[in-house]
Each structure stands twice: as structure tokens, then as C-alpha cells.
Amino acid sequence: MKRYLAMITILSVLLTIFTYGCTEKGDDKLKEPYSGKGHRIYVKEPYSPDRITATFTSTTTNNTETVTMELIKKGEDYSTYSCAGDTDKFDRVRFISDDTDKSIVLVFNEYVSGYYLTGGTSQGSVGIPFVYDENNENDVKENVPFETVALKYNKGIEKNIFIWTPEDYDKNDKSTKYPVIYLCDGQNMFEKASTTYGSWNVAQSAESMKANSGNNCIIVGIDDGDGNRDSELTPNLGPLAEVENLSHEEFENGTGKIFSDFVVNTVMPYMKKNYNILTDRQSTSVCGSSSGGIEAFYIGMEHPDKFGTIGALSPAFLLYDENVWVDYLKKINFNGNEPFVYIYNGNGDELESQLYTSAKDMLTYLDKVNYPKDKVAFREYKEACHNEHYWRNVFPEFLRFAFPNDK
């Protein structure tokens, strides 16, 4: 799907005095950083402001809380600040430097260690996940090492897959096996310069998860950057819907089944043969955004015996009308193996707003086929636009569903 065009909505901040203390302007007082029970989060800021505040909010309630952050370390390239928040009450955070410079609203949960605030959009600075190391000034990683492998795809064509393994991975240790996340748009996952909006920085998010929970994983990205993305990531489920400003030519007779078969019949067996991985469905996830979001949904639904979690971020569900989706979903025999489905969508630019309605509609379609309600989660992010900044931002939320603490 094509991207871009920003439209800013206003995040309403309700200031209340609660356990951690709140901010205020004018006559209000800003309490000291909360140092008791809660999840600690770190921020690195290149401009070393005199003060940073963190405003915690919730996507499901009106709970809001703002605290000042403590200066932990002043460095040459950036300074580090920290505070704590209650993950039972809040799932989003925004940082404000010297009361003026704002970050975009970022995901906050137990798996998030911190964000390096860099660059900027019309909505604020963006954040790259990092794990704070008091002994290492260079703990921010904008790129990570990964392996590239070419596998036979279709009609003699080869397709690259990109494989990231955590630092503690030992190929000779056959007793330690890792869950796997398979990602569409693998070319956008690891390298900073992969798009004008950077990459998803999925490895940094996985490292943060590991540091906070002990959960570990291997990440496999499948390349869709060969010019055939719209076709490869579109399952052919029936007649396409009439969508304003959408050319059917790009998506007609989509070859999403070929891509799905490649993932299941080529990529997954390759990983099983060459890496120490867990292969049960609960240890296997598939995720993607936009066209990759509808394809990830399709792959997981086509193979519920192989995937325990689906991440559909800004998914292109609008390609098909309700009757096509419901007919398709009714035909699937899950045998009690319904994957957990995490659906996310923004509403901050023209394309995200267009996709937003169909993303919410999917909840109705799943309900019509009696899909278990406890296996579906929808999260919206009203300010978010259709680009890697925001998919990077919500990936830790997907990880939280893919790797629940009690799993």
C-alpha cells in the first residue's frame, strides 16, 4: 500500500494526582521522579535538556499521569533520563523536553526498556528502542548484524530472507531452542537506511523484551522489496472491493498464496534444519504491516496449526468486502487452534484513516464466525501515520501479546 500524508489530532491530557505524582504548569507542582514500585523506563536525548517529563496515558481509559524524569547520566552525544510508571494503568508514554519539544506517543509496557529520541516528524521526535547499560555509553544500536540467505521462491526466482539471532545464540547448543517471528517486509526490519522512515528496529525491541522478561526469540524477515509487493502480499480471496483511490490492477489476482506457501514450505523448513528453533505453534508468530498485515493475517489463518500469534499492523483488510471475509473465515477449520490476533491501526493520515475502518470491521467479521473473543486484541493509535516510525513504535506491544508473561 502506498503511504504518507500527515494529519495531526490532539491528544487530550487529563492531569490527575495519583500514586506516582503529576505534572503541572503554572501554579501546579511537578513531583519528584517516582522511585517505588513500577516499571522503569529510560530516555536518551541528544540535546541534553534541563528537564524531561514523561506523560503516561492509556488507550482504554482516561488515566493520565505526568512525572519529571531524573537525569541519570550526562554524555557527549546524549544524556540519559529515567522514571517509572505503572504498566497496569498505562500503555502509552510521551516525553517532553524543556516543556516544548515533544516526542510522538510511544508504547509503554513491561518489555520496553527505553527510547533514544532522534529525528522528528510533524508530531514530534521518534524513538528507537534501546536497553540502558550504565557501563556502556554506546548502548544505542541503530543497526544490528543479521544473516541474508537466498531461497528458491517461484518459477526459478530466488527471494532473500534476513535472519537475526540474539547475542547469546549458540548454534552448537542444541539444547537451547528459540521461538521464531516471521515478518513480511523483511527488508525494512533491521537497517536504519532501509527506508526514508528508517526501519522497524525489531531486534532492538526483542533485546529489550529479553532484558526485561527473559523471553527470547529469533526474527526472520522475508524480502518484499522486489517490485512485486502488492501482488505477493495480497491473498486472492474473491472479488476486490471498490475502494476510493485504489487501483485494482495492482492487487487483482494476488499471489499471496505463493508467498504463504514459500514461508511455510521453504522458509520454515530451512529454519528448522539450520537453526535451533522451537517449532510448536505457540512458539511461532507471523507479523506484517499494510499489505504485509493482510498477508500475515492470511498466513496465520491458513495455517493455524503452525502459528500461535498473528500481528496485523495497519492491515489492508479494505481490499475485500464483508461477505468475502466472512465466507473465507467460515471455511477455516481451526480444530481449536485459533491463533491470537493482534490488530493495530492508526488514524493520523489519509491512508491510515482509510484502513482504520476496515481494521475495526474485522472484529465484527471474526465475531460473526464465532472467533474466540479472548483471542483478539485491537489497539488504535489516533495520531499514528502510515510509516515505519509507528510500526517500530507498536512492535513492543505486539511482542507483549506474542510472549505473555504467563506463556
Side-chain angles (χ1 to χ4, degrees):
M1 301 291 290
K2 280 124 176 130
R3 325 184 164 167
Y4 321 128
L5 234 150
M7 179 180 69
I8 301 176
T9 58
I10 299 174
L11 176 67
S12 176
V13 179
L14 305 175
L15 302 178
T16 59
I17 297 178
F18 229 117
T19 309
Y20 296 172
C22 316
T23 263
E24 48 316 88
K25 295 196 176 181
D27 296 332
D28 295 327
K29 294 180 179 178
L30 182 64
K31 292 194 175 181
E32 289 305 306
Y34 176 75
S35 59
K37 183 180 178 182
H39 178 64
R40 184 157 289 279
I41 189 168
Y42 296 86
V43 163
K44 286 189 181 291
E45 238 281 10
Y47 300 107
S48 300
D50 290 334
R51 86 166 187 173
I52 293 185
T53 56
T55 297
F56 297 98
T57 57
S58 169
T59 55
T60 56
T61 72
N62 288 327
N63 287 341
T64 300
E65 191 160 82
T66 304
V67 301
T68 184
M69 302 191 77
E70 177 186 1
L71 175 62
I72 300 295
K73 189 173 185 180
K74 202 167 186 68
E76 293 184 4
D77 297 325
Y78 36 64
S79 294
T80 306
Y81 306 78
S82 181
C83 69
D86 188 344
T87 54
D88 289 333
K89 292 180 181 177
F90 309 113
D91 58 5
R92 297 286 187 270
V93 63
R94 165 174 265 164
F95 304 103
I96 303 178
S97 304
D98 290 338
D99 298 327
T100 55
D101 294 331
K102 296 182 178 181
S103 72
I104 63 174
V105 178
L106 300 159
V107 160
F108 172 67
N109 63 33
E110 299 96 320
Y111 294 174
V112 174
S113 289
Y115 292 102
Y116 168 49
L117 302 183
T118 181
T121 70
S122 58
Q123 295 163 308
S125 299
V126 299
I128 295 176
F130 81 100
V131 178
Y132 174 65
D133 183 351
E134 63 180 3
N135 298 314
N136 181 11
E137 174 65 18
N138 300 313
D139 49 10
V140 171
K141 301 176 184 177
E142 297 194 76
N143 291 304
V144 296
F146 58 90
E147 182 182 4
T148 301
V149 177
L151 300 177
K152 291 182 180 179
Y153 179 62
N154 182 47
K155 296 181 179 179
I157 298 173
E158 289 189 336
K159 183 178 282 292
N160 285 332
I161 65 170
F162 311 102
I163 305 162
W164 174 82
T165 56
E167 288 185 358
D168 61 0
Y169 177 80
D170 181 356
K171 66 179 182 180
N172 296 316
D173 180 9
K174 304 300 182 182
S175 64
T176 303
K177 297 184 182 295
Y178 295 74
V180 184
I181 302 174
Y182 295 91
L183 290 170
C184 304
D185 287 317
Q187 74 280 358
N188 293 351
M189 297 299 153
F190 303 114
E191 293 186 310
K192 176 184 177 182
S194 58
T195 76
T196 55
Y197 292 92
S199 80
W200 284 37
N201 294 106
V202 291
Q204 290 89 328
S205 290
E207 290 175 337
S208 183
M209 175 180 71
K210 165 83 181 313
N212 285 282
S213 69
N215 291 322
N216 221 343
C217 67
I218 289 173
I219 300 177
V220 181
I222 298 97
D223 190 359
D224 304 311
D226 56 4
N228 297 313
R229 182 176 183 272
D230 288 333
S231 176
E232 289 181 353
L233 299 184
T234 300
N236 186 5
L237 305 182
L240 293 170
E242 292 297 327
V243 180
E244 185 178 356
N245 299 324
L246 178 68
S247 170
H248 277 194
E249 183 179 348
E250 301 170 54
F251 305 98
E252 198 81 52
N253 302 314
T255 57
K257 185 179 188 308
I258 295 174
F259 187 92
S260 175
D261 290 345
F262 173 69
V263 173
V264 172
N265 299 328
T266 301
V267 179
M268 294 176 74
Y270 176 86
M271 292 302 300
K272 181 179 180 180
K273 179 180 179 181
N274 294 281
Y275 288 83
N276 304 327
I277 66 170
L278 296 167
T279 56
D280 63 287
R281 62 182 299 274
Q282 292 300 335
S283 302
T284 310
S285 305
V286 60
C287 181
S289 68
S290 197
S291 288
I294 186 176
E295 181 67 14
F297 182 82
Y298 171 73
I299 293 171
M301 289 295 174
E302 285 289 288
H303 303 280
D305 58 321
K306 291 180 171 58
F307 296 94
T309 307
I310 296 169
L313 283 56
S314 308
F317 290 151
L318 83 174
L319 290 175
Y320 296 105
D321 287 329
E322 176 178 357
N323 63 319
V324 174
W325 276 118
V326 173
D327 287 347
Y328 168 70
L329 293 168
K330 280 181 177 179
K331 295 175 183 177
I332 302 173
N333 185 1
F334 292 104
N335 291 319
N337 285 332
E338 293 89 348
F340 185 92
V341 182
Y342 166 76
I343 302 173
Y344 148 84
N345 218 103
N347 202 8
D349 65 17
E350 183 177 5
L351 183 50
E352 279 293 281
S353 297
Q354 195 174 23
L355 297 172
Y356 176 83
T357 300
S358 60
K360 292 206 73 173
D361 285 344
M362 181 55 70
L363 306 180
T364 302
Y365 307 158
L366 290 169
D367 189 54
K368 286 191 174 185
V369 299
N370 298 314
Y371 204 87
K373 293 183 184 299
D374 62 351
K375 290 195 173 184
V376 181
F378 175 79
R379 294 293 184 271
E380 64 181 81
Y381 186 167
K382 291 183 178 178
E383 295 186 3
C385 301
H386 197 79
N387 62 49
E388 282 77 8
H389 290 327
Y390 294 96
W391 299 323
R392 173 202 304 138
N393 174 42
V394 299
F395 190 72
E397 189 164 70
F398 163 73
L399 289 177
R400 187 65 183 81
F401 285 110
F403 297 89
N405 283 333
D406 57 353
K407 193 169 181 178

